[in-house]
Amino acid sequence: MAEVLRLRVYTRERQLVDQDVREVTAPGVYGEIGVLPDHAALVTTLEPGVLSYKDTAGAVASVQVTGGFAEVRDNVMTVLADAGAAAAG
Amino acid sequence: MPNLKALRKRIATVRSTQQITRAMKMVAAAKLRRAQEAAERARPYAAKLAEMFEAVAAGVEPDTHPLLARREERRIDLVVVSSDRGLCGGYNSNLFRHLAKFVRERAGQELGLVVVGRKGFEYYRRRGTSIVSQQVGILTTPPATMAAALAAEVAGRFEREETDAVYLAYNRFRSAISQTPGVVPLLPVAPPAADERPVDYIFEPPRLELLGRLVPRYLEALVTQALLEAIASEHAARMTAMGNATTNATDMIGALTLSMNRARQATITKELMEVVGGAEALKG
């Protein structure tokens, strides 16, 4: 069982996040989606909201997204945000 | 004999033109660098979106989404990305020449143009080509915004069956000294071939609904990449053109200076001869 998964967040203009994380919470179409390492392959749309993640040290950070898409596959979570900005906290 | 004063004036004119072309070259070079960086930064998003589109669309039938529908191409739309301003060498004319060929090959089809850039609009209006719409401000509007507007427009026309296929024409950016015009198909969006070993994805919302959201965004990303590349190409073309103009001005100043000096020399010689001639005559 993998300890971490790779989180990559892109907006149209640039890459916002590229790091190993323990856990991701994303605003999915049917409510919050929690993604842990070894999650099943998934493609989903995202609603506007806050995407938060816990890094390997256990610190929580978050990114504002205005909607977009996310894919989870082989312990890599790729998030394509329509627009996004790193949020405080 | 060229007049000395006129020559001096001419040199001053060329020199001031050269100052302008040199400044334009430097501005274009700086903008080119920024445009290249912007295209570079936007590339991962487009690449990932294409991957995701492939994951969702792999193997679906073309009739599952209106933008994937393949029809007989009787009416085609061509999105032409030209520049608003000139002084960029062959940037626009190369593209138009390339397109003339493309259009000739499709003589039997009804053509509508969606023109970006004032130069393209003026050119095709003069030639009486049917123009569906036009946009200006490629260098001042954020590329993503313009791409969204363009994508929405052609997608709308395609869905209403006002056109059967949409192509996108722009100057591809190869390097700072090489840009080549190209035409790429935009609509219908080509669904990728089914994967050999498909990944068993969970789709949220269901696959077709997801596809419905993904396709317009994918189309937008395609247009955005093209616009970013066209912008880089425009700056590169302008940089080269203005660099050449600056070099030509230097040559011209050299040639003019030479004839000016020759004229000056001739005047001095003539005056000397007159003085000597006068003195000789007095000696008599």
Side-chain angles (χ1 to χ4, degrees):
Chain A
M1 148 129 201
E3 287 284 295
V4 292
L5 74 157
R6 192 77 179 177
L7 175 67
R8 299 199 172 109
V9 181
Y10 301 92
T11 68
R12 266 181 284 225
E13 288 83 23
R14 63 204 169 101
Q15 187 163 12
L16 279 182
V17 182
D18 183 10
Q19 67 179 78
D20 287 330
V21 297
R22 286 181 195 284
E23 179 185 333
V24 182
T25 310
V29 255
Y30 304 137
E32 297 268 283
I33 302 171
V35 178
L36 293 170
D38 289 327
H39 194 282
L42 164 80
V43 180
T44 182
T45 54
L46 296 180
E47 294 296 308
V50 177
L51 179 135
S52 62
Y53 54 93
K54 194 185 278 179
D55 66 19
T56 47
V60 175
S62 62
V63 174
Q64 286 276 354
V65 294
T66 56
F69 304 93
E71 179 197 39
V72 183
R73 181 183 173 177
D74 300 332
N75 271 321
V76 178
M77 180 167 182
T78 309
V79 176
L80 297 177
D82 292 346
Chain B
M1 163 101 23
N3 171 320
L4 246 187
K5 196 178 163 205
L7 276 172
R8 245 185 232 122
K9 220 168 164 184
R10 194 73 208 287
I11 290 173
T13 312
V14 175
R15 191 164 280 143
S16 75
T17 304
Q18 186 188 31
Q19 270 169 3
I20 294 167
T21 58
R22 187 179 289 138
M24 283 185 77
K25 183 198 164 187
M26 289 194 292
V27 169
K31 285 186 175 169
L32 169 63
R33 212 181 48 240
R34 275 212 306 257
Q36 265 180 293
E37 282 164 9
E40 209 59 57
R41 276 199 309 273
R43 199 158 292 147
Y45 178 91
K48 293 288 169 189
L49 191 64
E51 267 175 43
M52 221 178 268
F53 172 70
E54 273 167 36
V56 178
V60 300
E61 294 301 315
D63 55 5
T64 44
H65 191 278
L67 295 183
L68 303 183
R70 223 157 257 291
R71 294 190 288 267
E72 195 200 332
E73 295 185 12
R74 278 180 291 119
R75 282 161 306 180
I76 57 173
D77 275 6
L78 189 56
V79 182
V80 181
V81 185
S82 68
S83 73
D84 281 341
R85 302 210 197 172
L87 295 181
C88 48
Y91 178 81
N92 290 307
S93 47
N94 284 346
L95 183 67
F96 300 154
R97 200 173 323 125
H98 185 81
L99 285 184
K101 203 172 129 234
F102 175 84
V103 172
R104 259 201 314 278
E105 283 163 8
R106 295 159 170 278
Q109 293 156 346
E110 200 179 306
L111 179 73
L113 291 182
V114 175
V115 185
V116 178
R118 198 164 281 128
K119 290 288 165 187
F121 177 67
E122 283 164 5
Y123 179 80
Y124 286 108
R125 187 183 51 185
R126 244 191 341 262
R127 316 201 57 167
T129 316
S130 124
I131 294 173
V132 175
S133 72
Q134 68 130 345
Q135 298 224 19
V136 291
I138 181 164
L139 296 183
T140 48
T141 320
T145 310
M146 183 173 267
L150 284 170
E153 184 184 359
V154 293
R157 283 177 56 77
F158 187 81
E159 277 183 53
R160 290 190 300 272
E161 303 202 5
E162 288 162 9
T163 178
D164 299 317
V166 180
Y167 293 83
L168 175 63
Y170 63 103
N171 276 304
R172 290 213 169 123
F173 184 81
R174 297 227 181 278
S175 72
I177 49 163
S178 164
Q179 304 88 37
T180 47
V183 182
V184 294
L186 209 55
L187 284 171
V189 175
D195 220 325
E196 290 285 305
R197 293 174 295 112
V199 182
D200 197 10
Y201 282 105
I202 303 169
F203 294 109
E204 258 177 48
R207 190 174 190 168
L208 290 185
E209 202 183 320
L210 191 55
L211 191 62
R213 297 232 212 154
L214 207 46
V215 170
R217 198 43 54 79
Y218 178 63
L219 183 66
E220 249 176 69
L222 287 180
V223 180
T224 306
Q225 284 302 307
L227 289 183
L228 286 169
E229 233 181 273
I231 292 169
S233 294
E234 182 182 334
H235 288 312
R238 182 163 292 125
M239 188 180 89
T240 311
M242 291 300 107
N244 288 341
T246 309
T247 315
N248 291 346
T250 307
D251 294 350
M252 217 162 151
I253 290 171
L256 286 172
T257 309
L258 196 66
S259 35
M260 185 187 78
N261 285 341
R262 216 171 264 151
R264 192 164 52 94
Q265 197 81 57
T267 319
I268 293 167
T269 311
K270 202 178 99 205
E271 277 169 7
L272 266 177
M273 302 269 281
E274 277 163 10
V275 171
V276 173
E280 288 292 324
L282 282 182
K283 259 190 223 164

